[in-house]
Amino acid sequence: MRARKPAGSYHHGDLRNALVGSGTELAREGGPDAVVLREAARRVGVTSASAYHHFASHGDLIQAVKLRAMELLGDRMRASMAEDQPAQAPGESGAASAARHRLRALGAAYLSFAFDEPGLFRLAFGPRGSWPALQAADPEHGDSGPFLLLSEVLDDLAAAGAIPPERRPGLEYVVWAEVHGIAVLCLDGPLAQLDSAQRQQTISRALDAIIRGL
Amino acid sequence: MRARKPAGSYHHGDLRNALVGSGTELAREGGPDAVVLREAARRVGVTSASAYHHFASHGDLIQAVKLRAMELLGDRMRASMAEDQPAQAPGESGAASAARHRLRALGAAYLSFAFDEPGLFRLAFGPRGSWPALQAADPEHGDSGPFLLLSEVLDDLAAAGAIPPERRPGLEYVVWAEVHGIAVLCLDGPLAQLDSAQRQQTISRALDAIIRGL
DNA sequence: TGTACATCAGTGAACGCGCGTTCACTGATGTAC
DNA sequence: TGTACATCAGTGAACGCGCGTTCACTGATGTAC
């Protein structure tokens, strides 16, 4: 946390970041519609007009918050991958099953983010704002987005022979869509009525079906 | 179309229906956020206050439009199933493949609705309003919702031995989620950048993976 | 090291807008006798 | 068949609200000399 308030300062010093932060908080609490420019400024303790020194419009703020939400999803998935590596020397015969295990962990992390942070999730995948180009997954920042994580696991599976090579291209889209569908249907669709045990069972079945479909 | 304007009448005669209609039009044009009570009334040529004789609130209107959108989706799927039955006597050995064919048609219809009517689709599956209980799929109206259509096809597949019986329960949720995920990712997610050929290819691969995963 | 000055990042007040909702009302409808 | 009357389904005006955005402004910052 750098220089939020340089002591007795008039200027904020990091207002853009702070606004994205409070906007993210708003999205977390109330979803995409709750990301209101005036309220975001209010929470930072700043006039709404000042936001226009950092964002061209309300939509611009929304887009920034959307990107932040995507980052948070990526963080969650990366963390899950990191902690979920019990056997570090899987032996070549177990390579495929280890990769499958990681794929499952990735899907589970994705879904747990959706259920823990429905507001952020809805913003990240809702009609407001737009997704950046997937290929330009800023490698300079060193961190790979959710998309690259998935690609890597699928590469591992292909390398281990668990996926026929001719089926590999474009597979990330298919797998992503499958996991994503569960999340949406559980959050805002007909599966919202399931209690948490039923939901967990459905998730488990769906992940089975996905892996089977590889 | 019954009695929209009984000649020189003061009363509208079918205002509730008309409002749901114009609300649906609004959703079609601009998605969930565009379903504005005042505008819906304006389009029917009626004061916004009059809407409150038929809906308790704005949210009530939205819910009604949401249900309409679901109906339209069901219509589309049913129509697709009806026209897509070339061989009416499939022979017992081809029963499984015929059912698979119908499943594919169902998925394609679902996706074509999503792409043709993104506004309605977003309302149907968005955070606004809520889904009715699936089991209470009003059998008195004679028409089965999207959910029942899917169930029937899966039953056919199970009967034809294409699905191991122990995997049958809850399968509709899984399949639904898989198809749904494609739609959402293509509409509002990272797959929105695909051109229509790439999209079609992704869809095709995804449907393959789904069927393989049965 | 000190000073002049351009630039930057805030303030505070105001704008117009369209929304959901309420209210007292009135003309039309349909039912009881 | 006709009339009285309760109910229904509209009207039109108004309300308060919070929003996004603009404006002229001013205090703080940092750079050139």
Side-chain angles (χ1 to χ4, degrees):
Chain A
M1 197 131 299
R2 53 175 154 150
R4 298 295 285 245
K5 268 282 193 189
S9 171
Y10 182 105
H11 286 61
H12 183 283
D14 195 24
L15 184 51
R16 192 195 143 91
N17 238 290
L19 287 171
V20 174
S22 61
T24 302
E25 202 55 43
L26 289 171
R28 176 176 273 132
E29 295 166 13
D33 289 354
V35 183
V36 162
L37 187 145
R38 291 178 80 119
E39 176 64 16
R42 224 173 281 137
R43 292 200 173 193
V44 174
V46 118
T47 304
S48 64
S50 71
Y52 288 86
H53 283 288
H54 302 276
F55 300 97
S57 67
H58 177 218
D60 208 26
L61 205 212
I62 297 238
Q63 178 67 23
V65 175
K66 181 171 183 138
L67 291 178
R68 181 89 116 215
M70 294 177 197
E71 282 173 27
L72 292 174
L73 170 58
D75 292 347
R76 182 81 144 249
M77 290 171 72
R78 225 168 299 117
S80 152
M81 289 284 279
E83 77 179 23
D84 200 88
Q85 293 193 334
Q88 66 224 56
E92 57 257 42
S93 78
S97 100
R100 260 192 283 264
H101 186 252
R102 278 192 294 149
L103 178 59
R104 218 186 157 89
L106 222 44
Y110 191 95
L111 291 169
S112 88
F113 181 83
F115 299 138
D116 291 350
E117 300 285 8
L120 295 179
F121 187 81
R122 288 191 185 104
L123 175 57
F125 293 97
R128 283 199 152 82
S130 60
W131 270 74
L134 283 180
Q135 310 308 8
D138 49 300
E140 64 196 8
H141 284 74
D143 66 358
S144 52
F147 178 73
L148 286 189
L149 286 174
L150 178 55
S151 288
E152 286 166 14
V153 175
L154 291 179
D155 282 344
D156 292 350
L157 278 166
I163 299 175
E166 75 275 13
R167 245 189 244 148
R168 177 64 189 78
L171 229 205
E172 36 270 277
Y173 298 135
V174 173
V175 172
W176 191 348
E178 291 174 326
V179 175
H180 188 77
I182 305 277
V184 177
L185 255 39
C186 285
L187 278 184
D188 299 319
L191 269 50
Q193 309 162 38
L194 265 46
D195 63 43
S196 109
Q198 293 174 305
R199 180 207 278 169
Q200 212 51 49
Q201 193 182 32
T202 301
I203 289 174
S204 185
R205 279 182 187 141
L207 293 178
D208 287 342
I210 289 170
I211 289 173
R212 213 180 300 129
L214 294 175
Chain B
M1 196 131 299
R2 53 173 154 148
R4 299 294 286 245
K5 269 281 193 186
S9 172
Y10 182 104
H11 286 61
H12 183 282
D14 195 24
L15 184 52
R16 192 195 144 92
N17 238 291
L19 287 171
V20 174
S22 62
T24 303
E25 203 55 42
L26 289 171
R28 175 176 274 131
E29 294 167 14
D33 289 354
V35 183
V36 161
L37 187 145
R38 291 178 79 119
E39 177 63 16
R42 224 173 280 137
R43 292 200 174 193
V44 173
V46 116
T47 305
S48 63
S50 71
Y52 288 86
H53 283 289
H54 302 276
F55 300 97
S57 68
H58 178 219
D60 209 26
L61 205 212
I62 297 237
Q63 178 66 22
V65 175
K66 181 170 183 139
L67 291 177
R68 181 88 117 215
M70 295 178 197
E71 282 173 28
L72 292 174
L73 170 57
D75 291 348
R76 183 79 145 250
M77 292 172 71
R78 226 168 300 119
S80 153
M81 288 284 279
E83 78 180 22
D84 200 88
Q85 293 194 334
Q88 68 226 52
E92 58 257 42
S93 78
S97 100
R100 261 191 283 264
H101 185 252
R102 277 191 294 149
L103 178 59
R104 220 187 157 88
L106 221 43
Y110 191 94
L111 291 169
S112 88
F113 180 84
F115 300 137
D116 291 350
E117 299 286 9
L120 295 179
F121 187 81
R122 288 191 184 105
L123 175 57
F125 292 97
R128 282 199 153 82
S130 60
W131 272 73
L134 283 181
Q135 310 309 7
D138 49 302
E140 63 196 10
H141 283 75
D143 66 0
S144 52
F147 178 74
L148 285 189
L149 286 174
L150 178 55
S151 287
E152 287 166 13
V153 175
L154 292 180
D155 282 344
D156 292 349
L157 277 166
I163 300 175
E166 75 276 13
R167 247 190 242 148
R168 176 64 188 79
L171 229 205
E172 35 270 278
Y173 299 134
V174 173
V175 173
W176 190 347
E178 291 175 326
V179 175
H180 188 77
I182 305 276
V184 176
L185 254 40
C186 286
L187 279 184
D188 299 319
L191 269 49
Q193 308 161 39
L194 266 44
D195 64 41
S196 109
Q198 293 173 305
R199 180 208 278 171
Q200 212 51 48
Q201 192 181 32
T202 300
I203 290 175
S204 185
R205 280 181 186 142
L207 294 178
D208 287 342
I210 289 170
I211 289 173
R212 212 181 301 127
L214 294 175

